[in-house]
Amino acid sequence: MSQQAMIDHIIDGIIEREGGYSNHPADRGGRTCWGITEATARRYGYQGDMRDLSVDIARQIYRVVYVIRPRFDRVSEMAPTLGPRLADIGVNLGPSRAARMLQEALNAFNDCERLYPDLLVDGQLGELSLSALEDFLKNRPEKGESILVAAVQCQQGAAYLEICRRDPSQERFAYGWFANRVLVNSKQEAAM
């Protein structure tokens, strides 16, 4: 799959899960369309009504803000299941938080720095983080990616529970977060 096709595949999955316009009173993101919050759309330069945000503009925002800038496209090249999951987490919890989840998992799995040095958990996937991912996958060729995905899933679920603990109004969304984001099965994940 070409890089462009891979990025399109990631974005298609996100848009399918997010759907069209929404303005749920308990949603801290406020008015959204195709999963793009009004605040993100404005930062990107969109000035229209959120109901009118085109899927093409949403795709452009996803491409830049949630796939290329956080380098989840690079992760996807090495780990085709993990990269799309990180992009999806980035949409829901922020790209930096998704990147930190990967960095935390890589630090836990580096065998006391025998495989690669500990990473600074800064939410930025620079060359050291990408190199650590590559080294991890080389050293764990059979189940490495699925173990990283599981570690990220655990952190993702814990993040949602913490959101609900801090703000009980968000319990309205907890079941859906787990059903549609954390517990996607292999078939759905391949479609991410």
Side-chain angles (χ1 to χ4, degrees):
M1 180 182 299
S2 73
Q3 184 179 31
Q4 181 67 37
M6 176 191 59
I7 291 171
D8 288 342
H9 182 72
I10 292 168
I11 294 170
D12 289 345
I14 292 169
I15 287 175
E16 182 179 322
R17 278 184 299 287
E18 291 290 346
Y21 178 76
S22 173
N23 188 17
H24 193 285
D27 187 346
R28 297 185 305 182
R31 295 188 304 162
T32 65
C33 194
W34 310 114
I36 302 295
T37 65
E38 186 169 21
T40 298
R42 300 291 182 244
R43 275 194 305 274
Y44 190 77
Y46 179 74
Q47 296 303 314
D49 188 304
M50 286 305 291
R51 287 181 202 91
D52 300 328
L53 182 77
S54 72
V55 73
D56 289 335
I57 291 173
R59 291 179 73 74
Q60 291 170 21
I61 294 170
Y62 279 126
R63 181 177 314 286
V64 173
V65 177
Y66 296 101
V67 179
I68 294 173
R69 189 179 298 152
R71 303 180 91 180
F72 297 145
D73 57 328
R74 296 277 308 275
V75 173
S76 295
E77 291 169 0
M78 291 183 268
T81 302
L82 177 64
R85 176 173 284 279
L86 291 173
D88 188 65
I89 293 169
V91 169
N92 203 238
L93 294 171
S96 177
R97 191 157 189 189
R100 285 193 311 270
M101 289 176 182
L102 174 58
Q103 290 169 325
E104 290 280 359
L106 286 169
N107 281 349
F109 297 142
N110 71 2
D111 194 16
C112 299
E113 297 189 80
R114 289 183 183 92
L115 301 180
Y116 45 85
D118 272 342
L119 299 169
L120 173 64
V121 179
D122 61 359
Q124 303 296 316
L125 296 183
E127 290 307 315
L128 291 176
S129 294
L130 294 173
S131 178
L133 173 59
E134 185 175 33
D135 288 345
F136 171 81
L137 293 169
K138 267 192 258 181
N139 283 284
R140 308 284 191 205
E142 289 183 35
K143 294 184 180 178
E145 182 177 7
S146 61
I147 297 298
L148 276 178
V149 168
V152 167
Q153 276 177 297
C154 291
Q155 293 176 78
Q156 182 184 17
Y160 293 140
L161 293 174
E162 178 61 18
I163 288 169
C164 293
R165 186 194 64 73
R166 284 192 325 254
D167 182 356
S169 74
Q170 298 305 292
E171 290 176 9
R172 168 84 171 88
F173 306 108
Y175 187 87
W177 289 334
F178 274 82
N180 300 315
R181 289 221 139 79
V182 177
L183 296 179
V184 291
N185 64 38
S186 300
K187 202 180 224 183
Q188 289 171 314
E189 206 143 59
M192 284 175 110

